[in-house]
Amino acid sequence: GALLALSKPPGLPILGRPGDLSLHALLPALRRRLGLRAELHVVKAPAREYSGLVLLSTCYHTTKKLQQFFTNARQRGQHPATYRAVTVGVPAEVEGEICTGLCWQQQGDRAMVVPVLAPGRHSLARKDVKITLTCYRVLSAMGGCALLQLQPRTAFPEQLQVHLTLVLCPALGDHEHSSHVGRVLGVPFFLTPEKKGHTPTRTQVLDEELVSRLGLSPRQLHHLPLHIHLQELVLP
């Protein structure tokens, strides 16, 4: 019918400035290539850094109806979106929930999403902090890495990356939030933003064995994409 599903590579933004490569900029060419009469609208798509399912529609009413469905489903505690992630480290529990407050915090000249482990009532009332929840399950583990299923029950920018650091298993290719996980004698622990300092790590630190298994040189590590993938969308 009106729906079209694509798989997006990591690093492609949904919106962009005029002249920049983005999903929206590609829609007219896609419409011509497929011979569609009506314009394409983005119903649901993963964030820029993620790969995975993009749901498009040629019907404005279908787009609005489905977007409302996704919002209502989250409010009812359902999880219409399922992600997969490759993590550096294996969670201590095979499955569980990650619940924490999240907020934007200015660090130097950048705004970052940081966890607020014990948010106050006033910050919640002012909506400075939002309580977020992700359900996870370990699907496979090997060589100190894991394949996780992630089902966010709330929507907040970079929620999945931050939540994975709280279980001490940052996503492979997370060059921003992985620096929240430190190690002493091989044992991981969480570094709060204050302890971490105001200079975020630009490249994820991986042990030599993993870098060798990935077949990458140290110079190539900065280009390692974020391994979080929108795997499945449930439709009404």
Side-chain angles (χ1 to χ4, degrees):
L3 296 178
L4 174 68
L6 307 175
S7 185
K8 182 184 86 69
L12 179 68
I14 308 307
L15 297 170
R17 292 173 297 186
D20 288 352
L21 181 64
S22 68
L23 181 62
H24 264 282
L26 295 171
L27 291 182
L30 179 63
R31 175 189 173 190
R32 290 193 298 269
R33 183 168 179 174
L34 296 177
L36 302 175
R37 293 182 179 180
E39 289 185 14
L40 285 165
H41 310 280
V42 177
V43 180
K44 181 82 172 173
R48 173 181 186 149
E49 298 83 5
Y50 300 173
S51 61
L53 274 172
V54 172
L55 190 62
L56 304 173
S57 168
T58 56
C59 172
Y60 178 80
H61 296 293
T62 300
T63 299
K64 290 301 176 185
K65 182 179 179 181
L66 287 174
Q67 288 176 341
Q68 190 62 51
F69 163 77
F70 288 125
T71 299
N72 293 343
R74 283 198 307 269
Q75 292 173 349
R76 290 193 299 266
Q78 298 171 340
H79 35 77
T82 299
Y83 293 78
R84 298 281 173 89
V86 177
T87 62
V88 181
V90 182
E93 302 292 336
V94 174
E95 59 183 303
E97 294 183 346
I98 309 163
C99 182
T100 188
L102 291 181
C103 75
W104 287 97
Q105 185 181 95
Q106 197 70 27
Q107 295 194 4
D109 60 348
R110 303 175 67 233
M112 288 189 64
V113 178
V114 298
V116 183
L117 304 182
R121 286 183 302 168
H122 294 299
S123 61
L124 292 172
R126 292 194 306 268
K127 297 184 178 180
D128 296 334
V129 177
K130 180 178 178 178
I131 297 297
T132 56
L133 175 65
T134 300
C135 299
Y136 77 88
R137 182 158 61 93
V138 178
L139 302 176
S140 173
M142 183 183 295
C145 294
L147 176 66
L148 266 59
Q149 174 180 287
L150 302 171
Q151 293 177 320
R153 301 286 185 94
T154 53
F156 199 92
E158 303 173 23
Q159 172 178 320
L160 297 181
Q161 296 102 294
V162 177
H163 281 190
L164 288 173
T165 65
L166 291 173
V167 292
L168 306 179
C169 299
L172 183 64
D174 185 349
H175 303 296
E176 184 162 321
H177 298 283
S178 60
S179 56
H180 286 296
V181 179
R183 287 183 179 272
V184 173
L185 300 176
V187 178
F189 65 97
F190 184 74
L191 282 163
T192 63
E194 293 79 16
K195 292 178 181 177
K196 190 173 75 71
H198 296 298
T199 309
T201 302
R202 295 294 183 179
T203 303
Q204 187 176 26
V205 178
L206 302 174
D207 62 47
E208 292 182 5
E209 182 183 349
L210 180 54
V211 174
S212 176
R213 293 212 312 270
L214 290 169
L216 299 174
S217 70
R219 291 184 178 182
Q220 293 172 314
L221 279 179
H222 180 67
H223 300 289
L224 185 67
L226 181 67
H227 281 56
I228 298 181
H229 182 82
L230 179 52
Q231 175 80 12
E232 179 182 279
L233 287 172
V234 176
L235 302 181

